[in-house]
Amino acid sequence: MIAALGRIPAQGGQSPPGLLGYFSAHRTEVLHWLWWHAWLSVLPVLIGLVVSLPLGYLASRRRWAYPALVSVSGLLYTIPSLALFVAMPSILGTKILDPVNVVVALSIYTVALLARVVADGLGAVPEDVAQAATAMGYTPLQRLAKVDLPLAVPVITAGLRVAVVANVSLVAIAATIGVPELGQLFTNGFQLSSTGPYYPPIVLGIVLCVVLALVLDLVIVLVNRALTPWRRTEAHR
Amino acid sequence: MIVFESVTKRYPGGTVAVDHLDLEAPKGRITVLVGPSGCGKTTSLRMVNRMVEPTSGRVLIDGADTAASPPAALRRGIGYVIQHSGLLPHRTVLDNIATVPLLLGTDRRRARSRAMELLERVGLTPALAKRYPAQLSGGQQQRVGVARALAADPPVMLMDEPFSAVDPVVREQLQNEFLRLQEELGKTIVFVTHDIDEAIKLGDRIAVLRVGGRLAQVASPAELLARPVDAFVAAFVGRDRGYRALGFAAVSSLPFEREETVRLGEALATARDRLNGGWVLVVDAEDRPQGWLSEDGARLAAQETVTEDALNLGGTLATEDGSLRELLDAALSSPSGRGVVTDGEGRLLGSISPSTAVRLIEERSSAPAGAPGTGEEA
Amino acid sequence: MSNALTWLTDPVNWQDQLGTPGIPTQLGNHLAYSLAAVAIATVIAFPLGLLIGHTGRGTPVVTFANGLRALPTLGLLILLYVVVSPHISGRGDAPYLVPTEIVLVLLAIPPVLGNTCAGVQNVDPAVRDASVGMGMTGREVLFRVELPIALPLVLSGLRSAVLQVVATATVAAYVGLGGIGRYLYDGLAARDFAQMTGGAVLVAALALVLDGVLAGVQRYAVSPGVSGRFGTGPAQAGARVAEAAGKASVPA
């Protein structure tokens, strides 16, 4: 896909400068936007995870909490991201361009996605393993920390991967209301194309977004591997 | 009758699942295919309804080559029951049973009333008709699976480990009811199992297959236990075959002895008077044996009369027309050393000692050859 | 928020005026763009998903479609607009509409395709085996067995397609398309935060209503035997017991 898109500037190659030329001309801004984009994508996932763990634990332990969690998170997930970005200032009292709006809005999405995943992951620990841990004398809290949570890691990291990849795309949308990140490449490209197609910033933005998503995804995969050594030995058998 | 004529199934990788199988499954009988995993028993079964196409050879049903009819039409005329029922989760129990009649174009009302009939026939209450499969226990699901296979009244049924996924108690119930049903219906059945005990219990004929899909032996259950053709079949049939073979040896005339009894509720003093070798048999008002009372039990009992909690329940019961296996077991398990024999209604006839049971077994062994076959219908 | 409420309840905003369409018109536009995209995507992805799920052939197509999800939607939208719109010398909205619809369709395809395919593939092999064994043809197995069982997943794929499309159609106002997104971007340009927030509330409400309608369809269309909604009362208690018994009886 990236290769296919890379060919487009070649077709429209008459418009100087090309992709690399554009990048070297705007290196400082682009790297700054990339840095911000990464932060705005990752921070909500970290905040979301911290909030989701207790929520998901509660939902996996209390019969009433699970359906409540599913309906509330389903409802939150329904709201279009742009609407949430725009509505944030009147809820938080922030300015419209404040990046906090993006962080809070995306944290809400992450919690909506992840709390349910955590609940499912903790609930999916095999009954015999849970019973054996209790029988050996683990207290409920010890069992959570030493048994349930480690075994739920693969499920939770799968949810984190979805969240982080979605966030990279959603963060870009915030550029249309003026938040500076890689989405600026799209809006700039759009404005520069008003007289005739000008691809370099748009394609550069797409490439950087995809690369950022892949890198963040890879980081989570590596963390997952580090946290679950027993699955590696299984794979090698 | 189903006939396998030199049927071979070879998969593209070169694996031979079934190797030149020649086998007849007689009309109205249960033919069991049994063997370890990888012996091709399921593949053989599935070649009957063309779920698997043979690489070479033919399968005939009542003389007609199955390859000649279109697969779907062929299958609609053959009942099919599998291990995990395979009920359609989105349809009610009633509609599940009616599946094949509806495929055949029977109108809905007739198909449903037929399904209702079958529901009761397999021992389920009509209240379950509107339930969905997920609302049934494993055993109930298997019963529905059997009812569904019977719905279009096919002359031939294929059953692939239908009772393997349920617990032992339910399995035994299902097996017994299956035998009762077959007695009424007389279908031509091919039944696959990995469990030799199930094969011996259900089969009229048993085909033992070995890994690589070759037929090792075809025989009646009694013959299989008495004369396994080679070491493989002997090992597969397993230990205790001598003892298990007794299960197919019916007892015609029993030389049982009279047994003194005492009724529940009679005075303990009476019981003590009737002790024989330290034990007396306790029966209820209808003369049905309830258990044995020992000398110690009679002395230490809290009440003045014979009550149930003082009884030893260790002995099994043998019925008059049962097998030698039952008889020997009753004699060996009885705390008094005397095996209790009852009639068909469970009323006491008398008792038999282990030595008498052994004498009966010896008489049977010295009987002319061919005797094992007499128990085939048991 | 209260400003947004004032904006939303102002009757002037609910009427079409010269050059500025009212709320009902924009809602209608938004709905039309979204539903058209989902309909086109469904016509493409649903049969394809059934086919791939049923035959097991062509799964790379699903993997490829899922890979498209990693692309930033705004980038895709603007790229397609810049590429396509110069070639459309149409009247009215066409230069905005065509590229936007293409992106919306591209967005809606992966969830419908993936879920349809997964739904059919996830059907219990024993159920499929029994259906074939009873004499169903391939077509009968697909439409009488696999599709009804896959329906919850198919519909949830459709729901997430609708949500994504409604959300992205809002963003499409950035390149000039009509719809509720207009209020967000026009409000931003005019520093009219009441209008912006009001638009945000409208689009959130639209998404919630559409999702609610589809949830209702899902509830109505999916067999209780598949969804597990057996109704209340003793039947459900029986189900729990049966389920426990069923689980207990399956050898580990």
Short mmCIF file of all heavy atoms in Angstrom, two decimals, chain B residues 99-139:
data_model
loop_
_atom_site.label_atom_id
_atom_site.label_comp_id
_atom_site.label_asym_id
_atom_site.label_seq_id
_atom_site.Cartn_x
_atom_site.Cartn_y
_atom_site.Cartn_z
N THR B 99 -35.77 -30.80 10.31
CA THR B 99 -34.91 -30.31 9.23
C THR B 99 -35.02 -31.11 7.92
O THR B 99 -35.30 -30.56 6.87
CB THR B 99 -33.43 -30.28 9.68
OG1 THR B 99 -33.34 -29.52 10.88
CG2 THR B 99 -32.56 -29.65 8.62
N VAL B 100 -34.78 -32.41 8.02
CA VAL B 100 -34.73 -33.20 6.78
C VAL B 100 -36.10 -33.29 6.11
O VAL B 100 -36.21 -33.08 4.90
CB VAL B 100 -34.11 -34.59 7.03
CG1 VAL B 100 -34.09 -35.41 5.75
CG2 VAL B 100 -32.69 -34.43 7.57
N PRO B 101 -37.20 -33.57 6.84
CA PRO B 101 -38.51 -33.55 6.18
C PRO B 101 -38.76 -32.22 5.46
O PRO B 101 -39.29 -32.22 4.34
CB PRO B 101 -39.49 -33.73 7.34
CG PRO B 101 -38.73 -34.52 8.34
CD PRO B 101 -37.31 -34.05 8.23
N LEU B 102 -38.33 -31.10 6.07
CA LEU B 102 -38.53 -29.80 5.40
C LEU B 102 -37.67 -29.69 4.14
O LEU B 102 -38.11 -29.16 3.13
CB LEU B 102 -38.23 -28.65 6.36
CG LEU B 102 -39.25 -28.45 7.48
CD1 LEU B 102 -38.82 -27.36 8.43
CD2 LEU B 102 -40.63 -28.13 6.91
N LEU B 103 -36.45 -30.23 4.21
CA LEU B 103 -35.60 -30.23 3.01
C LEU B 103 -36.24 -31.05 1.91
O LEU B 103 -36.11 -30.77 0.72
CB LEU B 103 -34.22 -30.83 3.34
CG LEU B 103 -33.20 -29.94 4.05
CD1 LEU B 103 -31.96 -30.77 4.38
CD2 LEU B 103 -32.82 -28.76 3.18
N LEU B 104 -36.95 -32.11 2.33
CA LEU B 104 -37.57 -33.01 1.35
C LEU B 104 -38.90 -32.45 0.85
O LEU B 104 -39.55 -33.05 0.01
CB LEU B 104 -37.80 -34.39 1.98
CG LEU B 104 -36.53 -35.21 2.22
CD1 LEU B 104 -36.84 -36.41 3.10
CD2 LEU B 104 -35.93 -35.66 0.90
N GLY B 105 -39.33 -31.31 1.41
CA GLY B 105 -40.52 -30.66 0.90
C GLY B 105 -41.81 -31.02 1.62
O GLY B 105 -42.90 -30.68 1.17
N THR B 106 -41.69 -31.71 2.76
CA THR B 106 -42.89 -31.97 3.57
C THR B 106 -43.43 -30.63 4.08
O THR B 106 -42.64 -29.75 4.41
CB THR B 106 -42.52 -32.85 4.79
OG1 THR B 106 -41.73 -33.92 4.35
CG2 THR B 106 -43.77 -33.37 5.49
N ASP B 107 -44.76 -30.49 4.16
CA ASP B 107 -45.26 -29.19 4.64
C ASP B 107 -44.99 -29.06 6.13
O ASP B 107 -44.85 -30.04 6.86
CB ASP B 107 -46.75 -28.99 4.30
CG ASP B 107 -47.65 -29.88 5.12
OD1 ASP B 107 -48.02 -29.47 6.23
OD2 ASP B 107 -47.95 -31.00 4.64
N ARG B 108 -44.87 -27.80 6.56
CA ARG B 108 -44.37 -27.48 7.88
C ARG B 108 -45.17 -28.15 9.00
O ARG B 108 -44.61 -28.67 9.96
CB ARG B 108 -44.36 -25.96 8.06
CG ARG B 108 -43.49 -25.48 9.20
CD ARG B 108 -43.23 -24.00 9.10
NE ARG B 108 -42.18 -23.69 8.12
CZ ARG B 108 -40.88 -23.66 8.42
NH1 ARG B 108 -40.48 -23.91 9.64
NH2 ARG B 108 -39.99 -23.37 7.50
N ARG B 109 -46.50 -28.13 8.83
CA ARG B 109 -47.31 -28.66 9.92
C ARG B 109 -47.08 -30.16 10.11
O ARG B 109 -46.91 -30.64 11.21
CB ARG B 109 -48.80 -28.38 9.68
CG ARG B 109 -49.62 -28.73 10.93
CD ARG B 109 -51.10 -28.55 10.70
NE ARG B 109 -51.42 -27.22 10.19
CZ ARG B 109 -52.62 -26.91 9.69
NH1 ARG B 109 -53.58 -27.82 9.63
NH2 ARG B 109 -52.87 -25.69 9.27
N ARG B 110 -47.04 -30.89 8.98
CA ARG B 110 -46.84 -32.34 9.08
C ARG B 110 -45.46 -32.64 9.63
O ARG B 110 -45.27 -33.53 10.46
CB ARG B 110 -47.01 -33.00 7.72
CG ARG B 110 -48.45 -33.31 7.42
CD ARG B 110 -48.71 -34.64 6.70
NE ARG B 110 -47.58 -35.34 6.12
CZ ARG B 110 -47.36 -35.45 4.80
NH1 ARG B 110 -48.14 -34.85 3.95
NH2 ARG B 110 -46.35 -36.15 4.36
N ALA B 111 -44.46 -31.87 9.17
CA ALA B 111 -43.09 -32.09 9.63
C ALA B 111 -43.00 -31.87 11.14
O ALA B 111 -42.34 -32.61 11.85
CB ALA B 111 -42.13 -31.15 8.90
N ARG B 112 -43.72 -30.85 11.61
CA ARG B 112 -43.66 -30.55 13.05
C ARG B 112 -44.38 -31.59 13.88
O ARG B 112 -43.93 -31.92 14.98
CB ARG B 112 -44.24 -29.17 13.32
CG ARG B 112 -43.26 -28.08 12.94
CD ARG B 112 -43.65 -26.77 13.55
NE ARG B 112 -42.58 -25.80 13.31
CZ ARG B 112 -42.79 -24.50 13.23
NH1 ARG B 112 -44.03 -24.02 13.37
NH2 ARG B 112 -41.79 -23.68 13.02
N SER B 113 -45.50 -32.09 13.39
CA SER B 113 -46.20 -33.07 14.22
C SER B 113 -45.41 -34.38 14.28
O SER B 113 -45.35 -35.04 15.31
CB SER B 113 -47.64 -33.28 13.72
OG SER B 113 -47.65 -34.09 12.58
N ARG B 114 -44.75 -34.70 13.17
CA ARG B 114 -43.86 -35.86 13.16
C ARG B 114 -42.69 -35.63 14.14
O ARG B 114 -42.32 -36.53 14.89
CB ARG B 114 -43.32 -36.06 11.73
CG ARG B 114 -42.11 -36.94 11.60
CD ARG B 114 -42.50 -38.38 11.37
NE ARG B 114 -41.32 -39.24 11.21
CZ ARG B 114 -41.19 -40.40 11.83
NH1 ARG B 114 -42.14 -40.85 12.63
NH2 ARG B 114 -40.11 -41.13 11.65
N ALA B 115 -42.16 -34.42 14.15
CA ALA B 115 -41.05 -34.09 15.04
C ALA B 115 -41.47 -34.23 16.49
O ALA B 115 -40.73 -34.73 17.34
CB ALA B 115 -40.55 -32.67 14.76
N MET B 116 -42.71 -33.82 16.78
CA MET B 116 -43.24 -33.90 18.15
C MET B 116 -43.29 -35.35 18.61
O MET B 116 -42.93 -35.68 19.72
CB MET B 116 -44.64 -33.28 18.14
CG MET B 116 -45.07 -32.72 19.45
SD MET B 116 -44.06 -31.28 19.85
CE MET B 116 -44.51 -31.13 21.56
N GLU B 117 -43.76 -36.21 17.68
CA GLU B 117 -43.84 -37.64 17.96
C GLU B 117 -42.46 -38.18 18.32
O GLU B 117 -42.29 -38.91 19.30
CB GLU B 117 -44.25 -38.32 16.65
CG GLU B 117 -45.37 -39.31 16.69
CD GLU B 117 -45.71 -39.65 15.24
OE1 GLU B 117 -45.00 -40.49 14.67
OE2 GLU B 117 -46.64 -39.02 14.68
N LEU B 118 -41.46 -37.80 17.50
CA LEU B 118 -40.10 -38.32 17.69
C LEU B 118 -39.49 -37.82 18.99
O LEU B 118 -38.73 -38.52 19.64
CB LEU B 118 -39.22 -37.91 16.51
CG LEU B 118 -39.41 -38.81 15.30
CD1 LEU B 118 -38.84 -38.17 14.06
CD2 LEU B 118 -38.75 -40.16 15.56
N LEU B 119 -39.83 -36.57 19.35
CA LEU B 119 -39.31 -35.99 20.58
C LEU B 119 -39.65 -36.89 21.76
O LEU B 119 -38.81 -37.20 22.60
CB LEU B 119 -39.95 -34.60 20.77
CG LEU B 119 -39.37 -33.72 21.86
CD1 LEU B 119 -37.96 -33.32 21.51
CD2 LEU B 119 -40.22 -32.47 22.03
N GLU B 120 -40.90 -37.36 21.79
CA GLU B 120 -41.31 -38.24 22.89
C GLU B 120 -40.68 -39.61 22.74
O GLU B 120 -40.33 -40.27 23.71
CB GLU B 120 -42.83 -38.33 22.92
CG GLU B 120 -43.44 -36.98 23.23
CD GLU B 120 -44.94 -37.03 23.45
OE1 GLU B 120 -45.37 -37.86 24.28
OE2 GLU B 120 -45.66 -36.27 22.79
N ARG B 121 -40.53 -40.04 21.50
CA ARG B 121 -39.98 -41.36 21.25
C ARG B 121 -38.55 -41.49 21.77
O ARG B 121 -38.14 -42.56 22.21
CB ARG B 121 -40.00 -41.60 19.75
CG ARG B 121 -39.69 -43.00 19.37
CD ARG B 121 -40.58 -43.42 18.26
NE ARG B 121 -40.76 -44.86 18.26
CZ ARG B 121 -41.38 -45.50 17.28
NH1 ARG B 121 -41.88 -44.82 16.26
NH2 ARG B 121 -41.48 -46.79 17.33
N VAL B 122 -37.77 -40.40 21.71
CA VAL B 122 -36.40 -40.47 22.21
C VAL B 122 -36.33 -40.09 23.69
O VAL B 122 -35.25 -39.87 24.24
CB VAL B 122 -35.41 -39.58 21.41
CG1 VAL B 122 -35.32 -40.06 19.99
CG2 VAL B 122 -35.83 -38.12 21.46
N GLY B 123 -37.49 -40.01 24.33
CA GLY B 123 -37.51 -39.84 25.77
C GLY B 123 -37.38 -38.42 26.26
O GLY B 123 -36.89 -38.18 27.35
N LEU B 124 -37.82 -37.45 25.43
CA LEU B 124 -37.77 -36.05 25.88
C LEU B 124 -39.19 -35.53 26.08
O LEU B 124 -40.11 -35.94 25.38
CB LEU B 124 -37.06 -35.18 24.84
CG LEU B 124 -35.57 -35.44 24.67
CD1 LEU B 124 -35.02 -34.64 23.51
CD2 LEU B 124 -34.81 -35.09 25.95
N THR B 125 -39.36 -34.61 27.04
CA THR B 125 -40.69 -34.07 27.29
C THR B 125 -41.05 -33.05 26.22
O THR B 125 -40.18 -32.30 25.75
CB THR B 125 -40.80 -33.44 28.70
OG1 THR B 125 -41.36 -32.14 28.53
CG2 THR B 125 -39.47 -33.33 29.37
N PRO B 126 -42.34 -33.00 25.83
CA PRO B 126 -42.78 -32.05 24.80
C PRO B 126 -42.49 -30.61 25.18
O PRO B 126 -42.43 -29.74 24.32
CB PRO B 126 -44.30 -32.29 24.72
CG PRO B 126 -44.51 -33.64 25.29
CD PRO B 126 -43.43 -33.86 26.29
N ALA B 127 -42.30 -30.36 26.49
CA ALA B 127 -42.02 -28.98 26.93
C ALA B 127 -40.72 -28.45 26.32
O ALA B 127 -40.51 -27.25 26.24
CB ALA B 127 -41.92 -28.95 28.45
N LEU B 128 -39.85 -29.37 25.88
CA LEU B 128 -38.57 -28.93 25.32
C LEU B 128 -38.68 -28.47 23.87
O LEU B 128 -37.74 -27.90 23.32
CB LEU B 128 -37.54 -30.06 25.41
CG LEU B 128 -37.12 -30.50 26.81
CD1 LEU B 128 -36.12 -31.64 26.72
CD2 LEU B 128 -36.53 -29.33 27.57
N ALA B 129 -39.84 -28.71 23.25
CA ALA B 129 -39.98 -28.47 21.81
C ALA B 129 -39.60 -27.06 21.39
O ALA B 129 -38.97 -26.85 20.37
CB ALA B 129 -41.41 -28.78 21.37
N LYS B 130 -39.96 -26.08 22.22
CA LYS B 130 -39.74 -24.68 21.84
C LYS B 130 -38.40 -24.14 22.34
O LYS B 130 -38.08 -22.98 22.14
CB LYS B 130 -40.87 -23.80 22.40
CG LYS B 130 -42.20 -24.06 21.74
CD LYS B 130 -42.43 -23.12 20.56
CE LYS B 130 -43.70 -23.45 19.80
NZ LYS B 130 -43.45 -24.37 18.68
N ARG B 131 -37.62 -24.99 23.02
CA ARG B 131 -36.30 -24.54 23.48
C ARG B 131 -35.32 -24.50 22.32
O ARG B 131 -35.54 -25.12 21.29
CB ARG B 131 -35.76 -25.54 24.52
CG ARG B 131 -36.57 -25.64 25.78
CD ARG B 131 -36.05 -24.70 26.84
NE ARG B 131 -36.84 -24.84 28.06
CZ ARG B 131 -36.48 -25.60 29.08
NH1 ARG B 131 -35.38 -26.29 29.04
NH2 ARG B 131 -37.24 -25.66 30.16
N TYR B 132 -34.21 -23.81 22.58
CA TYR B 132 -33.10 -23.81 21.62
C TYR B 132 -32.03 -24.78 22.12
O TYR B 132 -31.94 -25.03 23.31
CB TYR B 132 -32.54 -22.40 21.46
CG TYR B 132 -33.48 -21.50 20.68
CD1 TYR B 132 -34.40 -20.70 21.33
CD2 TYR B 132 -33.45 -21.50 19.29
CE1 TYR B 132 -35.28 -19.90 20.62
CE2 TYR B 132 -34.32 -20.70 18.58
CZ TYR B 132 -35.23 -19.90 19.23
OH TYR B 132 -36.10 -19.13 18.52
N PRO B 133 -31.19 -25.30 21.20
CA PRO B 133 -30.18 -26.28 21.62
C PRO B 133 -29.34 -25.82 22.80
O PRO B 133 -29.01 -26.63 23.66
CB PRO B 133 -29.33 -26.44 20.36
CG PRO B 133 -30.27 -26.19 19.24
CD PRO B 133 -31.21 -25.12 19.74
N ALA B 134 -28.98 -24.52 22.85
CA ALA B 134 -28.12 -24.05 23.93
C ALA B 134 -28.80 -24.19 25.29
O ALA B 134 -28.15 -24.09 26.33
CB ALA B 134 -27.73 -22.60 23.70
N GLN B 135 -30.12 -24.41 25.29
CA GLN B 135 -30.84 -24.54 26.56
C GLN B 135 -30.93 -25.99 27.02
O GLN B 135 -31.60 -26.29 27.99
CB GLN B 135 -32.25 -23.96 26.42
CG GLN B 135 -32.28 -22.46 26.20
CD GLN B 135 -33.68 -21.98 25.85
OE1 GLN B 135 -34.14 -22.16 24.74
NE2 GLN B 135 -34.35 -21.37 26.81
N LEU B 136 -30.30 -26.90 26.29
CA LEU B 136 -30.39 -28.32 26.63
C LEU B 136 -29.08 -28.82 27.22
O LEU B 136 -28.02 -28.26 26.94
CB LEU B 136 -30.70 -29.15 25.38
CG LEU B 136 -31.93 -28.79 24.56
CD1 LEU B 136 -32.07 -29.77 23.40
CD2 LEU B 136 -33.17 -28.80 25.42
N SER B 137 -29.15 -29.90 28.01
CA SER B 137 -27.93 -30.54 28.49
C SER B 137 -27.32 -31.35 27.34
O SER B 137 -27.97 -31.58 26.31
CB SER B 137 -28.26 -31.47 29.65
OG SER B 137 -28.99 -32.57 29.17
N GLY B 138 -26.08 -31.78 27.54
CA GLY B 138 -25.40 -32.56 26.50
C GLY B 138 -26.19 -33.81 26.12
O GLY B 138 -26.33 -34.14 24.94
N GLY B 139 -26.71 -34.50 27.13
CA GLY B 139 -27.46 -35.72 26.88
C GLY B 139 -28.74 -35.45 26.10
O GLY B 139 -29.09 -36.18 25.16
#
